[in-house]
Amino acid sequence: MMKTFKNYISALIVFSFIAITNSCTAQVEDKSAPIHWMGFEDAVAKGNTAPKKMFIDSYTHWCGWCKRMDATTFRDSAIVKYMNDKFYAVKLDAETKDTINFQGNRFVYKPENKANELALSLMNGQMSYPTFIFLDEKFALLSPLPGYQTPEQLMPVLKYFGDDIYKTKKWEEYQKEIGGN
């Protein structure tokens, strides 16, 4: 009986230590500043007064890979810092039924495409989720980037556009330079 009790206490101490350690780790991770997401029209208004490139996360509420990006890549401290420094980060629900006003145009939901016209336009009609869209400081389309991205995959792309490397090098040249595929 005494040996069972000692085993129980030992196990309780080990589990308590693990729980406390995990709790402390989670608190440290939760303290990292999140990406400063904003709506599209808010980012455009801000960009008109303080120009900055735009990173648009085109997602849907049902997209599992979109949710995974939110839970992993968009919580990476290096991604968060770089994104907040270099871009206006926008969350765009591609299926929003809200009308979006941009550059004198009204973009509405198109039931036949199950998407908003703005998302259709920015993604060149290639609707896959998630898709990330890069706009320059004057809101010109730089490039859409479809598919789930790990922090290691996304960071070189962020830097390519965020540091204006795209202005002097082709993507393939930049990729070779950094040791990418």
Side-chain angles (χ1 to χ4, degrees):
M1 175 87 170
M2 191 61 150
K3 190 172 187 176
T4 304
F5 182 72
K6 285 182 180 177
N7 288 344
Y8 174 77
I9 294 298
S10 295
L12 186 60
I13 291 169
V14 168
F15 287 124
S16 296
F17 177 76
I18 291 170
I20 290 168
T21 302
N22 286 342
S23 174
C24 291
T25 303
Q27 288 173 0
V28 169
E29 290 172 6
D30 288 346
K31 287 183 180 178
S32 67
I35 292 174
H36 301 261
W37 295 109
M38 56 180 60
F40 183 79
E41 288 175 324
D42 292 337
V44 169
K46 206 163 184 181
N48 281 326
T49 58
K52 198 174 187 182
K53 290 180 188 72
M54 202 181 296
F55 173 92
I56 303 169
D57 175 13
S58 183
Y59 72 97
T60 64
H61 70 278
W62 50 262
C63 168
W65 288 110
C66 300
K67 292 174 185 172
R68 184 164 177 150
M69 286 289 300
D70 287 337
T72 58
T73 304
F74 292 146
R75 292 189 188 261
D76 180 85
S77 59
I79 296 290
V80 169
K81 181 174 179 0
Y82 193 84
M83 187 90 72
N84 287 338
D85 288 347
K86 297 286 186 163
F87 297 94
Y88 289 124
V90 172
K91 283 281 192 186
L92 176 65
D93 178 355
E95 296 177 337
T96 187
K97 293 187 171 128
D98 295 339
T99 298
I100 300 170
N101 296 299
F102 177 54
Q103 295 183 327
N105 297 304
R106 294 180 64 225
F107 295 90
V108 298
Y109 179 77
K110 291 293 189 183
E112 63 272 18
N113 300 105
K114 297 181 183 173
N116 187 286
E117 290 174 312
L118 181 61
L120 282 160
S121 175
L122 293 173
M123 296 166 62
N124 299 318
Q126 303 297 311
M127 308 311 286
S128 66
Y129 309 105
T131 292
F132 312 103
I133 298 119
F134 295 87
L135 302 182
D136 71 10
E137 296 86 347
K138 295 179 181 176
F139 312 116
L141 179 65
L142 295 174
S143 180
L145 172 65
Y148 175 83
Q149 303 287 309
T150 65
E152 297 78 20
Q153 292 169 316
L154 184 58
M155 186 57 84
V157 182
L158 290 175
K159 287 183 176 181
Y160 182 70
F161 292 113
D163 292 342
D164 292 332
I165 297 167
Y166 73 97
K167 291 180 178 181
T168 59
K169 291 183 184 164
K170 292 190 183 285
W171 171 250
E172 295 77 16
E173 184 183 348
Y174 172 66
Q175 245 185 336
K176 284 180 188 175
E177 188 177 285
I178 62 169
N181 293 335

